[in-house]
Amino acid sequence: MKRLTTVVVASFVALSTQIAFAQGAAPARFQQVVEINAKPGSEAVLENYIKKLVAAADKVSAKQTWTTYAVTLGKAGGTYRVAVGFNSWADRDGWSTIPMILAKAYGQPEAERLMKESGSATERMINEVWENLPDLGTTASAAAGSPPPIG
């Protein structure tokens, strides 16, 4: 079952990336990335929580959209990442918090139960913000072996 979930999530991430490139969308300047390690045996609980959170965000029309995927290489089993792109800190400040989204969608008692359940299934969580610096990297369209552009 876990392998099937990983394949489905990986396919979704690949498809959504292709759609973004096909539409000519520029990558977000920043990405907030939350890495979550599930306690051994609690992966299903954490995945269920993420599904309920996505449904709640859809129900309340949350401003932010995110990509969630399982990390299958280079990390311990049960590692998940949630990435949310944004272009300015003002955009980031306008987001609803997870407890607010859950409370608005399901009511306060159910939101608290879901938060507690996800907390008990989580071993470790790291929250980082990454910045896209195109001038310091290369792109797939650059010629192989060519130096990065100087600007």
Side-chain angles (χ1 to χ4, degrees), residues 34-64:
V34 180
E35 186 174 287
I36 306 162
N37 294 92
K39 289 181 181 174
S42 297
E43 294 87 355
V45 173
L46 193 57
E47 289 175 12
N48 185 51
Y49 166 75
I50 291 170
K51 288 176 190 175
K52 287 183 179 178
L53 176 57
V54 170
D58 288 344
K59 185 175 181 179
V60 302
S61 302
K63 291 181 184 179
Q64 66 268 35

Side-chain angles (χ1 to χ4, degrees), residues 32-35 92 125-129:
Q32 181 171 346
V33 180
V34 180
E35 186 174 287
R92 171 65 186 89
M125 186 183 307
I126 298 172
N127 193 345
E128 299 175 326
V129 174

Side-chain angles (χ1 to χ4, degrees), residues 42-116:
S42 297
E43 294 87 355
V45 173
L46 193 57
E47 289 175 12
N48 185 51
Y49 166 75
I50 291 170
K51 288 176 190 175
K52 287 183 179 178
L53 176 57
V54 170
D58 288 344
K59 185 175 181 179
V60 302
S61 302
K63 291 181 184 179
Q64 66 268 35
T65 57
W66 56 80
T67 302
T68 305
Y69 55 95
V71 181
T72 58
L73 296 173
K75 296 285 184 173
T79 300
Y80 302 88
R81 283 192 179 151
V82 179
V84 187
F86 61 101
N87 288 309
S88 71
W89 289 103
D91 293 342
R92 171 65 186 89
D93 291 341
W95 293 346
S96 297
T97 65
I98 289 173
M100 288 170 53
I101 291 170
L102 291 172
K104 190 173 179 183
Y106 301 124
Q108 192 63 35
E110 180 66 4
E112 289 174 6
R113 186 192 71 73
L114 289 169
M115 293 294 294
K116 185 177 180 180

